[in-house]
């Protein structure tokens, strides 16, 4: 069973940066694509970014492209989300996730079988 623990969230001002981490235990993550999703109050969970198992391929939501960077360190069994130029509309609970099966990047939450508990990111204007 995979356990994912996110950290690094907090309260920041618009324009600031945060780096989220997702540490995994219980399974080696290297064979699996990973993703970050977020959910704002009153809204559905949405895709933010995803990374292939090797880290060589990434995909981003249009709303974060150019500001956020997803990465992973398979030796540490950890994924990261570097968030720069944060905006109030980035306020949400951020979740990391691991695909249920080995395969390519997916933008669909349905393809991810393992989820962390989430970390709150609040951006004030």
């Amino acid at each position: 069973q995979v356990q994912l623990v996110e950290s690094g969230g907090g309260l920041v001002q618009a324009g600031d940066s945060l780096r989220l981490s997702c540490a995994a235990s219980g399974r080696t993550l290297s064979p699996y694509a990973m993703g970050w999703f977020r959910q704002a109050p009153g809204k559905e969970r949405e895709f933010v970014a995803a990374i292939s198992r090797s880290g060589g391929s990434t995909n981003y939501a249009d709303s974060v492209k150019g500001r956020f960077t997803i990465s992973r360190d398979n030796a540490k069994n950890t994924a990261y989300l570097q968030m720069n130029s944060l905006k109030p509309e980035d306020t949400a609970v951020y979740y990391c996730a691991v695909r249920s099966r080995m395969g390519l990047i997916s933008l669909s939450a349905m393809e991810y079988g393992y989820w962390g508990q989430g970390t709150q990111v609040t951006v004030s204007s």
Side-chain angles (χ1 to χ4, degrees), residues 3-16:
Q3 291 186 328
L4 304 173
V5 178
E6 301 99 334
S7 61
L11 171 63
V12 297
Q13 294 186 331
D16 286 349

Side-chain angles (χ1 to χ4, degrees), residues 5-61:
V5 178
E6 301 99 334
S7 61
L11 171 63
V12 297
Q13 294 186 331
D16 286 349
S17 298
L18 279 175
R19 188 193 195 202
L20 305 183
S21 298
C22 174
S25 61
R27 178 184 289 188
T28 298
L29 295 182
S30 55
Y32 303 93
M34 298 183 67
W36 285 93
F37 293 76
R38 67 187 181 186
Q39 187 166 17
K43 296 187 177 181
E44 294 187 352
R45 189 170 298 189
E46 66 174 359
F47 169 78
V48 175
I51 188 167
S52 63
R53 52 190 179 183
S54 68
S57 181
T58 57
N59 199 303
Y60 297 93

Side-chain angles (χ1 to χ4, degrees), residues 2 4 6 37 45 95-98 109-110 112-117:
V2 178
L4 304 173
E6 301 99 334
F37 293 76
R45 189 170 298 189
Y95 300 88
C96 71
V98 177
M110 293 178 60
Y112 292 81
Y114 304 98
W115 295 81
Q117 83 288 349

Side-chain angles (χ1 to χ4, degrees), residues 30-105:
S30 55
Y32 303 93
M34 298 183 67
W36 285 93
F37 293 76
R38 67 187 181 186
Q39 187 166 17
K43 296 187 177 181
E44 294 187 352
R45 189 170 298 189
E46 66 174 359
F47 169 78
V48 175
I51 188 167
S52 63
R53 52 190 179 183
S54 68
S57 181
T58 57
N59 199 303
Y60 297 93
D62 287 343
S63 59
V64 307
K65 203 170 293 183
R67 299 187 299 121
F68 289 13
T69 302
I70 188 172
S71 62
R72 65 191 295 167
D73 185 336
N74 287 336
K76 295 183 178 180
N77 232 23
T78 301
Y80 306 95
L81 186 68
Q82 177 66 42
M83 305 186 295
N84 298 330
S85 302
L86 283 161
K87 304 175 181 180
E89 50 264 43
D90 294 319
T91 295
V93 177
Y94 284 72
Y95 300 88
C96 71
V98 177
R99 277 206 68 178
S100 304
R101 304 177 182 177
M102 289 184 267
L104 301 177
I105 287 176

